[in-house]
C-alpha cells in the first residue's frame, strides 16, 4: 500500500497547514507537490475560525491536480463547516433551528470569516458539493465526524457520497437545516456507548478501523490544546482522531498511517 498521510481539521489556518506539509516533505518551498505517489487525505473543515479558508481550499485543489501527475493522490473530505458556509452564501436569511435562527448568523456564530464568504467562486462551490463525505482505503474508513449520522444517508460509501452531494446541490433550506443539526460528536464525547457506535459504522461500510476529525483531541483527553502534537488512538486501536485544533490555537500535525 502507498504511504498515507492525514491532515485534520484546518479551519482556515493556511500558514500552519503549509508549514506542516513542508515539514512532512509533501510540498516544496514554492508549495509544489513533493509527495510522489503518496496519498494525502484532508479530513474536512477547511473554513471558519482561522483567517483564510479560501486559500486553504485553493491549495488543496491545486495539490490534487499536481499529485495526480506524479502518481500520487490528494483526497479531500466534506466536513460540517463546508455546508455551513454554503448555507450562509446561498440562503443567508432562511430560518433555522440553530443558535441564532438564520443561516448567515449561525455561520458567523460558528466562526464564519467574511473574507471567505466574499472570496468563494463557482469553482469553489462546485468543488465543495462534489467532495466525498467518506472514503475507504483498504481496511481504513476516513470520515470527518465521529458520528453514526452517516447511516441516515446510505449503507455504502458510494450511497452516502451520492446522497450528500445531491442534498448540497438542491439548496433546499429545510434539508440544510436538518443536515446542519446532525453529526453530533458520539465516539469521543459519549464514551459510554462509543464502542458500539464505532462498530455500527465500521460494519456498515466494510472497514476495520476509522479515522475522523470534528472533535478536538484536547476535549477528549482534557489536555491543553497547545500540547496536542499527534493523533489520539482509542477504542482498542479501531479509532483515530486527528483534530489537533488548527484554527483554534492548536499546533496541528500530519498523521502518517502505520
Amino acid at each position: 500500500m502507498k504511504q498515507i498521510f492525514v491532515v485534520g481539521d484546518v479551519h482556515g489556518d493556511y500558514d500552519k497547514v503549509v508549514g506542516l506539509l513542508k515539514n512532512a516533505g509533501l510540498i516544496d518551498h514554492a508549495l509544489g507537490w513533493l509527495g510522489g505517489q503518496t496519498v494525502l487525505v484532508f479530513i474536512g473543515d477547511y473554513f471558519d475560525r482561522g483567517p483564510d479558508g479560501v486559500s486553504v481550499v485553493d491549495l488543496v485543489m491545486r495539490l490534487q491536480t499536481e499529485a495526480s501527475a506524479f502518481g500520487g493522490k490528494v483526497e479531500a473530505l466534506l466536513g460540517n463547516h463546508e455546508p455551513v458556509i454554503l448555507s450562509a452564501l446561498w440562503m443567508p436569511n432562511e430560518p433555522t433551528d440553530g443558535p441564532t435562527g438564520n443561516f448567515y448568523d449561525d455561520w458567523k456564530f460558528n466562526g464564519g470569516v467574511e473574507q471567505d464568504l466574499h472570496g468563494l467562486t463557482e469553482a469553489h462551490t462546485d468543488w465543495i458539493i462534489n467532495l466525498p463525505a467518506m472514503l475507504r482505503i483498504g481496511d481504513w474508513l476516513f470520515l470527518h465526524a465521529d458520528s453514526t449520522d452517516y447511516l441516515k444517508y446510505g449503507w455504502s460509501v458510494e450511497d452516502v457520497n451520492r446522497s450528500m452531494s445531491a442534498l448540497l446541490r438542491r439548496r433546499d433550506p429545510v434539508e440544510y437545516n436538518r443536515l446542519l443539526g446532525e453529526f453530533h460528536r458520539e465516539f469521543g464525547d459519549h464514551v459510554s456507548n462509543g464502542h458500539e457506535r464505532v462498530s455500527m459504522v465500521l460494519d456498515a461500510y466494510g472497514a476495520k478501523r476509522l479515522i475522523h476529525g470534528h472533535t478536538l483531541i484536547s476535549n477528549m483527553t482534557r489536555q491543553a490544546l497547545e500540547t496536542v502534537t499527534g493523533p489520539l488512538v482509542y477504542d482498542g486501536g479501531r479509532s483515530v482522531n486527528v483534530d489537533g485544533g488548527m484554527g483554534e490555537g492548536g499546533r496541528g500535525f500530519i498523521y502518517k498511517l502505520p
Side-chain angles (χ1 to χ4, degrees), residues 2-258:
K2 297 179 180 180
Q3 287 187 332
I4 301 175
F5 292 81
V6 187
V7 179
D9 310 37
V10 178
H11 280 301
D13 205 328
Y14 175 78
D15 290 340
K16 196 171 291 177
V17 76
V18 164
L20 291 172
L21 292 170
K22 286 180 179 178
N23 290 339
L26 294 171
I27 61 174
D28 59 25
H29 288 291
L31 310 187
W33 178 252
L34 270 185
Q37 297 185 342
T38 295
V39 177
L40 174 63
V41 182
F42 287 86
I43 212 74
D45 277 6
Y46 310 98
F47 298 100
D48 302 338
R49 298 175 184 159
D52 199 350
V54 168
S55 289
V56 171
V57 168
D58 285 338
L59 174 67
V60 176
M61 292 173 69
R62 179 172 56 77
L63 292 179
Q64 287 182 315
T65 300
E66 291 184 10
S68 64
F70 291 92
K73 197 161 191 178
V74 174
E75 300 278 8
L77 297 185
L78 180 76
N80 60 298
H81 280 259
E82 283 67 65
V84 171
I85 196 171
L86 291 183
S87 71
L89 178 69
W90 287 338
M91 53 196 84
N93 299 315
E94 291 288 344
T96 71
D97 297 323
T100 71
N102 67 71
F103 285 114
Y104 175 83
D105 289 334
D106 285 354
W107 167 71
K108 290 290 288 184
F109 180 87
N110 283 292
V113 176
E114 288 288 347
Q115 175 180 305
D116 286 339
L117 195 67
H118 299 314
L120 284 177
T121 66
E122 186 175 351
H124 294 132
T125 58
D126 284 347
W127 182 79
I128 291 170
I129 62 179
N130 286 296
L131 290 175
M134 56 173 54
L135 169 72
R136 191 176 63 239
I137 302 177
D139 290 335
W140 288 94
L141 180 69
F142 300 79
L143 67 172
H144 173 71
D146 46 328
S147 174
T148 59
D149 282 335
Y150 292 96
L151 297 169
K152 299 176 182 179
Y153 295 91
W155 286 81
S156 72
V157 170
E158 297 76 17
D159 284 347
V160 171
N161 291 339
R162 278 194 296 266
S163 296
M164 199 71 72
S165 180
L167 185 158
L168 296 181
R169 194 179 303 274
R170 284 193 293 270
R171 305 191 190 187
D172 182 332
V174 174
E175 290 186 317
Y176 267 73
N177 182 50
R178 183 178 67 248
L179 173 66
L180 297 181
E182 295 174 336
F183 297 97
H184 301 289
R185 297 166 173 85
E186 295 180 329
F187 304 162
D189 283 0
H190 299 81
V191 293
S192 62
N193 59 356
H195 179 82
E196 291 77 11
R197 292 175 182 272
V198 169
S199 295
M200 288 172 61
V201 172
L202 292 175
D203 291 347
Y205 302 115
K208 295 181 180 178
R209 292 176 289 181
L210 61 82
I211 294 182
H212 70 84
H214 192 53
T215 297
L216 290 171
I217 292 171
S218 59
N219 286 354
M220 294 178 64
T221 60
R222 303 297 185 260
Q223 69 186 102
L225 185 62
E226 62 272 14
T227 67
V228 175
T229 59
L232 175 65
V233 181
Y234 65 104
D235 193 31
R238 296 193 308 166
S239 300
V240 181
N241 184 349
V242 294
D243 187 357
M246 280 190 281
E248 299 182 66
R251 296 165 59 184
F253 56 85
I254 294 181
Y255 175 53
K256 181 181 177 182
L257 265 67

